[in-house]
Amino acid sequence: MDKILVLDFGGQYNQLIARRVRDQRVFAEILPYNRITPAQILAAGYKGVIFTGGPNSVYDSSSPHYPPEVLDLGIPVLGICYGCQLIAYIGGGEIKSAGETSEYGKIDHRVTDPDCPIFKGVPETDVCWMSHTDFVSRVPDGFKVAGVTDNCPCAAMFDRERRIYGVQFHPEVTHTRFGERLLHNFLYDICGVSGDWTAGNFADASIAHYKKTLKGKKVLLALSGGVDSSVAAVLLHKAIGDDLTCVFVDHGLLRKDEGDIVERTFRGRFGLNMIRVNAGERFLARLKGVTEPEQKRKIIGEEFIRVFEDVAGQIGSVNVLAQGTIYPDVIESGAGDAATIKSHHNVGGLPSVIKFDEIAEPLRTLFKDEVRRVGIELGIPYELVWRQPFPGPGLAIRVIGEVTREKLDILREADAIFREEVMKAGLERDTNQYFAVLTDTRTVGVMGDARTYGYTVALRAVSTDDFMTADWSRLPFELLANASARITNECRGVSRVVYDITSKPPATVEWE
Ligand code: XMP
């Protein structure tokens, strides 16, 4: 498989660059600049290297640099923004601050050397996306300028012989209209990749790999029914069959019928060797009297591990613990000296009393959308692969205040009705997450001729790209009216329904 190295100098778009490369069916891997030497790049057999942008100026004493030998490895290099300036700097050129004429946003780019191979098929003038203060004021020996903007005398440069390219703009950002074409030219014409990176190829190669490396070993995986653990489970099952045991801890905080659906799908349809633990009582007992959100999360996380350990203890010896870790969880940032690895935003963590020799993380090189594509390749049902996110602590953080069986039952029904109405309206793909919350507020109502005093259900629906920020979804009034009428009619103990119209920030998606 052809590989491209994305060398990270602390830019905000480093993940995006890797994704754009993978969109072109080429595997890309991100590494911090200080984790790999030029000799190691050569030895690893990369077909090309991309230097990312970064917030620094090359002349700052603290700015990240890289040995100039990288330009003489015989491997093509493309520098983007800071990466372009760095190539100019280590190659012996000059950089200046643009000061007043710094460029941010959409800018007209003009190709000045149509023979430059990265501009094949690119219009002479087109829009690019710029975000820089410094620029290359003199290109190094052997380089030529290939593109300019009104304020940037070197928006693109290249050394044809050594196959080194630099662009001041950001081809990975969709606002650069010719960015995809430029990356395609670099990857296919300059690096000579074959484009063999697809979800299907990944699944086949991965299954073959684990068939060999996990042969005869006992593997244990915590299956939640979420996309990542599901895809990891099915993939490993195809490799090692019944040597994989999946433990599904039903903490009693799942949505309506969810536990049964997970069981039917994985045990029934895929024939997975699965142990379902109905631990609802245990969790409810531990949550009794607890109202503080962080404490709820902590208790659920700890109890989850404890249940998992109990079951694992009964299974006996295990060689390998498998996890559904995905790429964004493991990417290290190259910006600082200390590597920061994002911690799992999930229930779980590593169980401490289970002894195992190794960890298998079959999805650790994949982005979320790639995990989904692999899931489809493996035959996992569409609804499961495109399932909306559901927090590890489950409905416990959607029941405000103390969690009781009665409140969980009310919430489960209300939530199922709301989801049904969203689906009926055909809007389940237009809103990224939608659910009901059972608030701790009771209000007076009237039903028949009698006074009621019941709970207030809040409906929440958000639109978002990455869940870091989100806007509340403008659902049609008709849909909200139907959901409200059904919830107050069909859910005993609910006398009022409200719709949450707060974005994130200042609120979060979940109420707790
Ligand atoms: P917040 O509430 O932080 O949620 O705006 C952002 C996204 O993360 C989900 N979420 C969680 N997922 N374990 C998870 O696996 C958790 O503890 C957790 N808390 C929030 C939330 O549903 C939303 O999609």
Side-chain angles (χ1 to χ4, degrees):
M1 184 179 65
D2 294 335
K3 287 190 298 188
I4 295 290
L5 173 64
V6 176
L7 206 55
D8 180 9
F9 291 97
Q12 52 178 323
Y13 299 125
N14 52 21
Q15 289 200 28
L16 197 56
I17 297 171
R19 301 185 66 132
R20 294 283 179 257
V21 172
R22 291 190 189 188
D23 286 346
Q24 309 245 12
R25 300 158 62 105
V26 184
F27 182 67
E29 175 165 68
I30 305 173
L31 282 183
Y33 73 95
N34 52 5
R35 296 295 150 77
I36 187 163
T37 63
Q40 288 167 329
I41 292 179
L42 193 63
Y46 290 105
K47 293 285 260 187
V49 181
I50 299 180
F51 282 17
T52 73
N56 304 69
S57 172
V58 287
Y59 294 118
D60 289 348
S61 56
S62 60
S63 62
H65 283 179
Y66 203 71
E69 294 84 74
V70 69
L71 305 181
D72 292 306
L73 296 176
I75 300 175
V77 180
L78 170 66
I80 296 174
C81 197
Y82 178 82
C84 172
Q85 294 158 18
L86 186 64
I87 289 174
Y89 177 76
I90 61 180
E94 261 177 27
I95 320 302
K96 276 197 180 136
S97 170
E100 297 275 286
T101 54
S102 300
E103 295 171 307
Y104 297 98
K106 291 181 188 174
I107 308 276
D108 276 340
H109 175 267
R110 192 156 49 81
V111 177
T112 54
D113 188 340
D115 286 339
C116 174
I118 49 169
F119 287 132
K120 189 178 91 182
V122 171
E124 188 188 328
T125 308
D126 207 344
V127 174
C128 72
W129 176 263
M130 285 281 200
S131 175
H132 70 112
T133 337
D134 287 2
F135 67 98
V136 177
S137 53
R138 185 172 59 76
V139 299
D141 289 346
F143 279 77
K144 280 169 76 181
V145 171
V148 297
T149 70
D150 281 352
N151 286 310
C152 184
C154 175
M157 62 175 197
F158 72 118
D159 176 338
R160 185 191 294 270
E161 205 141 295
R162 288 193 292 171
R163 299 186 294 170
I164 312 292
Y165 296 78
V167 291
Q168 187 52 63
F169 52 86
H170 287 270
E172 72 278 21
V173 172
T174 47
H175 299 301
T176 297
R177 284 210 297 242
F178 54 92
E180 193 181 335
R181 178 71 211 224
L182 185 149
L183 284 175
H184 186 274
N185 292 341
F186 177 70
L187 295 170
Y188 285 83
D189 296 348
I190 296 160
C191 301
V193 298
S194 57
D196 54 3
W197 166 253
T198 62
N201 286 350
F202 172 86
D204 291 346
S206 203
I207 292 167
H209 168 77
Y210 286 116
K211 251 186 195 154
K212 239 196 288 169
T213 56
L214 296 181
K215 197 172 173 179
K217 295 180 181 166
K218 292 272 169 239
V219 182
L220 186 67
L221 178 137
L223 181 71
S224 69
V227 182
D228 303 340
S229 66
S230 301
V231 174
V234 174
L235 192 148
L236 289 174
H237 179 71
K238 286 193 192 272
I240 58 168
D242 280 351
D243 283 338
L244 171 72
T245 305
C246 295
V247 176
F248 168 46
V249 176
D250 183 344
H251 52 21
L253 306 165
L254 297 171
R255 289 168 291 194
K256 191 177 176 186
D257 300 332
E258 201 165 18
D260 296 340
I261 295 171
V262 170
E263 184 168 357
R264 258 201 320 270
T265 308
F266 293 99
R267 197 202 301 278
R269 181 164 175 164
F270 287 103
L272 252 69
N273 179 5
M274 182 181 127
I275 299 172
R276 175 175 176 177
V277 193
N278 292 317
E281 297 295 333
R282 263 177 88 154
F283 280 86
L284 265 187
R286 292 271 337 258
L287 288 168
K288 195 168 166 44
V290 179
T291 55
E292 209 280 313
E294 276 314 301
Q295 213 187 335
K296 285 186 192 174
R297 282 171 183 273
K298 212 166 148 250
I299 289 173
I300 295 167
E302 282 169 9
E303 196 60 18
F304 189 91
I305 301 232
R306 215 158 288 156
V307 174
F308 189 69
E309 286 171 348
D310 285 354
V311 181
Q314 291 158 22
I315 295 171
S317 74
V318 173
N319 307 104
V320 183
L321 185 75
Q323 291 193 310
T325 316
I326 68 172
Y327 202 39
D329 300 329
V330 295
I331 295 177
E332 298 175 53
S333 161
D337 279 340
T340 42
I341 301 177
K342 206 173 124 194
S343 62
H344 263 224
H345 179 51
N346 214 337
V347 166
L350 280 183
S352 57
V353 302
I354 303 175
K355 288 205 175 55
F356 52 88
D357 311 320
E358 47 181 308
I359 293 183
E361 295 176 315
L363 312 177
R364 65 177 284 123
T365 58
L366 301 187
F367 289 110
K368 191 84 175 185
D369 54 325
E370 293 170 332
V371 172
R372 293 202 161 104
R373 268 184 266 149
V374 170
I376 295 287
E377 286 292 330
L378 294 171
I380 300 177
Y382 192 81
E383 319 81 72
L384 231 157
V385 166
W386 282 99
R387 198 180 104 119
Q388 57 163 317
F390 185 63
L395 299 183
I397 56 165
R398 294 180 182 170
V399 165
I400 311 305
E402 186 183 5
V403 183
T404 64
R405 190 187 317 279
E406 181 218 5
K407 283 161 114 183
L408 283 171
D409 286 343
I410 297 174
L411 177 58
R412 238 177 237 124
E413 283 308 316
D415 181 69
I417 291 171
F418 182 42
R419 286 188 289 131
E420 225 173 275
E421 290 300 322
V422 171
M423 301 252 212
K424 254 197 238 161
L427 292 176
E428 73 274 18
R429 307 234 24 205
D430 294 349
T431 177
N432 301 96
Q433 199 172 2
Y434 48 100
F435 54 88
V437 174
L438 190 70
T439 74
D440 213 16
T441 300
R442 292 195 196 213
T443 70
V444 175
V446 52
M447 263 187 161
D449 286 328
R451 174 188 192 270
T452 57
Y453 187 55
Y455 286 107
T456 305
V457 164
L459 304 180
R460 178 87 164 131
V462 295
S463 308
T464 171
D465 285 331
D466 54 10
F467 294 92
M468 307 290 282
T469 62
D471 197 6
W472 59 278
S473 303
R474 273 46 168 186
L475 295 183
F477 282 170
E478 198 57 28
L479 156 60
L480 293 172
N482 290 340
S484 167
R486 281 193 60 199
I487 290 170
T488 43
N489 266 309
E490 297 173 34
C491 304
R492 274 174 67 91
V494 177
S495 56
R496 200 172 292 265
V497 176
V498 297
Y499 187 52
D500 182 347
I501 53 166
T502 332
S503 58
K504 171 185 179 177
T508 52
V509 174
E510 302 288 349
W511 275 39
E512 286 196 338

